[in-house]
Amino acid sequence: MIFLRPLGVLNSALSHSVLIIGWAYMDEKSSDGAFRAKAFANRILEEEMVGESLAKSTVNLYLRKLEQIAKRPSIGGYWKLTPEIIVRDFTKRVESKAITQATARLEKAVALFWIAAEGRSAYDSNSSELWRFECAYNDIISTPIGELSVNSKNTSSKKAKAFPDEAFDMLMNEAFTSGSESLLDSLIFIRVNLFLGLRPVEWLNARIINYQHRNALGEHIFQPDGSAKISPALEVLNAKHSTVRGNGHMRIILLDSIDDEGIRYIQQWIGLISKLKTDRLMSLSEEEIYKKIYGSMQRTIRRVLIKAGWQGQKPTLYSTRHQAVANARADGLTEKEIAALFGHSSTNTARRHYGKKIAGYSGRTMRPAPESIWAVRSTVAVRPKPPRGEPSPALG
């Protein structure tokens, strides 16, 4: 019998090709543009070092999720995992409709991760049990999740998709009297992110650069005096690029419309957050990083807003990103410019999920560099639902 090694053992073996496979989605496109998982044999045999293109952060996320799955009372530990148990656990959670589509996509990817990793191990050891992993792999792929709820029913209220000036003023007034360091840090973050709209974790890998402008042919642009046209810009590594949700590996935001004081605030925040950056922190999921860096700040602004009598939904630190999108709309940026500015691979994302123009303030928006705009797709193909009873394509 072949079982998954405990987390520590598996982590220590990540460099070995026999263990890492783990990528269920975004492999090959069908004729309709949808991403489908590759066949089991292709998945475990196609690379010399299986899964070498998989981001380390994604591997770590899958391993942590596997640990959670294995600890469920119905399973009882890593050493009890089998292909059949993995399938049973996933299908029961889907059939109960107790999880959202997003959770199901993650758990589907994790299940295929385990099956493929152990299947490769079975193949390398010439095990007669290999067929069990192939059957389980196909069972997981064919489990449809399209009828699950998009949003969790346990959420008490939707997150605020704006950060109004009134909220910032309340926080500023409190900072004058309280002297709270957490509140001051929050105000610096809010100030810069209302202009730039980064995902909070993206500040860990953001830096100010001297951007040299180019024309549509890629040629450098020069000033009348013969000097190259250079302006400050923010280089941001896209947090979603490993899941094909970002517009490339990184994006560049031009800062030529921001004053020197604004630049100093950006430098100050980058300096503050860079002190927290460690290898261990960067190995965590985006949600865990957010909690460790921004958790106390978020609690502080919530406490201050309640004390000040704020009514309705409380703006969060992430609401600054929504507000920045709304501001970009109010300033008349095109859908492609908005996608490029906020690190979306498609113009669909901001349109469906982010702040509305009516909540925006004009005159506060930065501009993306041309190459970031070129990396944006106009739309993303909508994956059609298969006829009832037929396998559903794996979603990314």
Side-chain angles (χ1 to χ4, degrees), residues 122-339:
Y123 174 82
D124 288 341
S125 63
N126 201 26
S127 170
S128 61
E129 302 290 310
L130 183 60
W131 66 272
R132 295 173 57 204
F133 295 94
E134 182 170 13
C135 289
Y137 187 91
N138 293 333
D139 286 344
I140 294 292
I141 287 176
S142 63
T143 301
I145 62 175
E147 294 184 2
L148 294 176
S149 172
V150 175
N151 298 313
S152 173
K153 296 178 181 178
N154 297 324
T155 302
S156 58
S157 64
K158 293 182 178 180
K159 296 179 181 178
K161 293 191 174 182
F163 204 106
D165 284 353
E166 292 82 1
F168 185 84
D169 291 342
M170 286 181 176
L171 298 174
M172 184 68 80
N173 290 336
E174 176 67 16
F176 276 124
T177 57
S178 72
S180 165
E181 184 175 344
S182 177
L183 180 54
L184 290 172
D185 288 347
S186 300
L187 285 168
I188 294 172
F189 170 83
I190 294 167
R191 173 81 77 182
V192 299
N193 217 49
L194 284 173
F195 279 105
L196 298 164
L198 272 62
R199 301 175 180 95
V201 297
E202 289 178 332
W203 280 105
L204 285 163
N205 290 307
R207 65 189 185 108
I208 294 177
I209 62 171
N210 290 319
Y211 176 77
Q212 189 163 359
H213 293 257
R214 298 172 183 267
N215 60 25
L217 298 176
E219 302 164 334
H220 291 149
I221 298 175
F222 293 93
Q223 307 280 21
D225 63 1
S227 62
K229 183 180 180 181
I230 295 176
S231 64
L234 191 71
E235 182 184 87
V236 184
L237 297 187
N238 286 322
K240 301 293 186 181
H241 77 275
S242 64
T243 56
V244 194
R245 288 169 62 189
N247 58 328
H249 178 67
M250 69 176 184
R251 65 187 187 275
I252 296 175
I253 302 172
L254 303 181
L255 302 178
D256 46 6
S257 62
I258 198 168
D259 59 21
D260 291 342
E261 184 179 36
I263 297 290
R264 285 195 296 272
Y265 277 124
I266 295 172
Q267 291 172 328
Q268 186 175 1
W269 179 249
I270 290 175
L272 285 171
I273 200 169
S274 64
K275 295 177 182 178
L276 304 175
K277 186 175 179 180
T278 63
D279 290 341
R280 170 159 178 75
L281 180 73
M282 298 307 292
S283 71
L284 301 177
S285 68
E286 182 176 333
E287 181 180 1
E288 290 169 324
I289 292 174
Y290 183 90
K291 288 180 180 178
K292 286 187 175 294
I293 294 179
Y294 297 98
S296 63
M297 293 166 55
Q298 184 58 61
R299 290 189 293 273
T300 296
I301 67 171
R302 178 176 175 80
R303 173 181 54 78
V304 172
L305 291 175
I306 291 175
K307 176 183 176 182
W310 184 271
Q311 299 297 314
Q313 295 173 338
K314 308 297 186 295
T316 67
L317 294 176
Y318 204 91
S319 298
T320 58
R321 179 168 165 84
H322 286 280
Q323 185 64 56
V325 174
N327 294 348
R329 288 198 171 112
D331 270 333
L333 268 66
T334 67
E335 291 181 347
K336 269 203 166 187
E337 288 175 320
I338 291 174

